[in-house]
């Protein structure tokens, strides 16, 4: 799929050359339509490259039979001893489908909305306020994702017909970050990630930088390993998939605000989790 994404770049250039209306529709902030298209492809490639890396880790630890020692452990649930590769393949199929949907929605709906919002002004013409607003986007996206995500849990129709598909994966996998219903991909994931910079009126450059960062974060938050804290570690979302009523956000502060962290809802389990983590840390130190 990564190769296929790369092959679409020269194809897109060919159509833009023949159809100037496409160039006018997609060009933004002094950047050509092809540049915008390449940026959007690079974000998707980041998703699948990191997913492949985490998949290699799964394969490596599975082959060495040490998977249960490496992945996040949750009390009251059996440790994963082998990777259910058929289940991972299903997640891959959904992720590829939702990747294509996201690309289409961005070009046809989100990009025109950014133009209408005035986000296509070049970064060189931005004021210092644009840089001051950038940190706020992380708080806003956490609030938006928390709201949309929790709404999918509290409304039975939405959970049964839309969000339940994502929860088929109790053990999380990196590629499974986009393993969800297409309506969830658009109404929860895309609306949160693009909605925050759109509300704040960030420039096209800062928006793409943020979306790339958010993409990397969501892959690692689903990887099942407690390492590389990009914005938040993988633990909170892993807890969400196992305990269901906790950790709805994407950055931590909204869950803290509404007291829906694991330690708020299940304090006894949280004590077991932190106790196990401390034991694992001391064991790793003794091995070295």
């Amino acid at each position: 799929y990564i190769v296929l994404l790369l092959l679409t770049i020269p194809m897109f250039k060919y159509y833009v050359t023949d159809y100037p209306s496409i160039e006018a529709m997609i060009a933004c902030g002094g950047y050509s339509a092809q540049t915008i298209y390449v940026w959007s492809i690079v974000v998707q490639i980041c998703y699948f490259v990191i997913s492949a890396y985490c998949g290699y880790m799964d394969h490596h630890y599975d082959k060495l039979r040490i998977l249960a020692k490496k992945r996040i452990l949750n009390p009251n649930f059996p440790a994963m001893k082998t990777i259910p590769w058929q289940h991972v393949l299903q997640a891959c199929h959904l992720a590829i489908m939702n990747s294509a949907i996201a690309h289409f929605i961005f070009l046809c709906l989100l990009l025109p909305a950014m133009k209408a919002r005035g986000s296509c002004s070049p970064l060189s013409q931005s004021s210092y306020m644009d840089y001051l607003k950038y940190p706020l986007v992380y708080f806003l996206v956490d609030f938006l994702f928390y709201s949309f995500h929790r709404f999918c849990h509290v409304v039975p129709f939405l959970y049964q017909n839309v969000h339940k598909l994502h929860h088929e994966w109790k053990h999380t996998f990196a590629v499974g970050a986009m393993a969800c219903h297409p309506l969830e991909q658009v109404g929860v994931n895309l609306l949160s990630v693009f909605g925050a910079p759109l509300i704040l009126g960030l420039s096209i450059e800062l928006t793409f930088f943020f979306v790339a960062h958010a993409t990397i974060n969501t892959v690692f938050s689903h990887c099942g390993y407690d390492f590389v804290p990009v914005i938040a570690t993988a633990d909170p979302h892993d807890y969400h998939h196992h305990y269901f009523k906790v950790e709805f956000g994407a950055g931590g502060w909204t869950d803290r605000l509404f007291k829906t962290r694991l330690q708020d809802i299940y304090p006894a389990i949280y004590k077991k989790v932190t106790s196990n983590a401390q034991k694992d840390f001391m064991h790793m130190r003794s091995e070295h």
Side-chain angles (χ1 to χ4, degrees):
Y1 184 68
I2 293 172
V3 173
L4 181 62
L5 287 173
L6 291 172
L7 289 176
T8 64
I9 294 175
M11 292 172 58
F12 182 79
K13 182 179 181 181
Y14 169 79
Y15 280 107
V16 167
T17 303
D18 282 2
Y19 299 96
S21 59
I22 298 178
E23 172 71 33
M25 181 179 69
I26 299 178
C28 177
Y31 297 100
S32 67
Q34 187 177 6
T35 300
I36 300 296
Y37 184 83
V38 169
W39 284 359
S40 63
I41 289 293
V42 167
V43 170
Q44 294 183 64
I45 288 176
C46 284
Y47 178 95
F48 287 100
V49 167
I50 298 172
S51 295
Y53 168 72
C54 294
Y56 169 76
M57 289 179 57
D58 283 334
H59 170 72
H60 179 68
Y61 294 141
D62 192 2
K63 188 176 179 180
L64 294 177
R65 301 183 184 276
I66 57 173
L67 195 65
K69 295 181 180 180
K70 296 295 183 179
R71 275 184 157 259
I72 297 172
L73 297 176
N74 290 280
N76 305 331
F77 290 94
M80 181 187 291
K81 296 181 179 180
T82 185
I83 298 294
W85 290 110
Q86 189 60 37
H87 217 195
V88 176
L89 186 61
Q90 293 172 2
C92 288
H93 292 161
L94 280 171
I96 289 172
M97 177 185 70
N98 283 321
S99 171
I101 291 173
H103 197 56
F104 177 80
I105 294 295
F106 167 72
L107 292 176
C108 296
L109 295 178
L110 295 172
L111 188 58
M114 292 171 65
K115 288 185 176 183
R117 181 68 174 85
S119 299
C120 284
S121 299
L123 188 62
S124 58
Q125 298 178 10
S126 301
S127 67
Y128 68 92
M129 285 300 298
D130 291 291
Y131 297 97
L132 293 178
K133 287 188 296 185
Y134 182 78
L136 298 177
V137 75
Y138 290 98
F139 293 97
L140 183 55
V141 75
D142 186 35
F143 177 78
L144 291 176
F145 183 78
Y146 180 99
S147 303
F148 298 147
H149 184 193
R150 193 169 185 185
F151 192 64
C152 287
H153 276 262
V154 299
V155 178
F157 177 83
L158 287 177
Y159 181 78
Q160 290 295 327
N161 295 279
V162 179
H163 190 52
K164 187 177 180 179
L165 177 61
H166 186 64
H167 275 276
E168 287 187 7
W169 289 267
K170 188 170 291 293
H171 291 289
T172 55
F173 300 96
V175 74
M178 284 200 297
C180 61
H181 193 285
L183 290 178
E184 180 177 351
Q185 172 70 357
V186 176
V188 178
N189 299 337
L190 291 180
L191 200 57
S192 300
V193 173
F194 281 95
L198 192 61
I199 291 171
L200 293 174
L202 293 185
S203 67
I204 185 72
E205 296 97 335
L206 290 177
T207 296
F208 265 109
F209 182 82
F210 167 73
V211 171
H213 196 183
T215 299
I216 294 170
N217 177 67
T218 194
V219 176
F220 279 123
S221 70
H222 283 81
C223 72
Y225 296 98
D226 188 10
F227 71 104
V228 193
V230 183
I231 297 175
T233 67
D235 298 82
H237 201 69
D238 198 79
Y239 299 155
H240 175 72
H241 275 256
H242 282 83
Y243 302 107
F244 192 70
K245 296 180 180 180
V246 301
E247 310 291 358
F248 296 97
W253 79 269
T254 314
D255 280 296
R256 180 187 293 271
L257 177 66
F258 291 106
K259 298 187 182 303
T260 50
R261 297 172 301 170
L262 181 64
Q263 56 263 48
D264 299 320
I265 306 296
Y266 301 117
I269 292 176
Y270 180 73
K271 288 182 180 179
K272 290 183 180 179
V273 169
T274 53
S275 175
N276 289 341
Q278 181 65 20
K279 289 177 181 177
D280 291 342
F281 177 72
M282 295 302 294
H283 178 67
M284 289 172 62
R285 289 188 63 182
S286 64
E287 286 183 340
H288 289 291

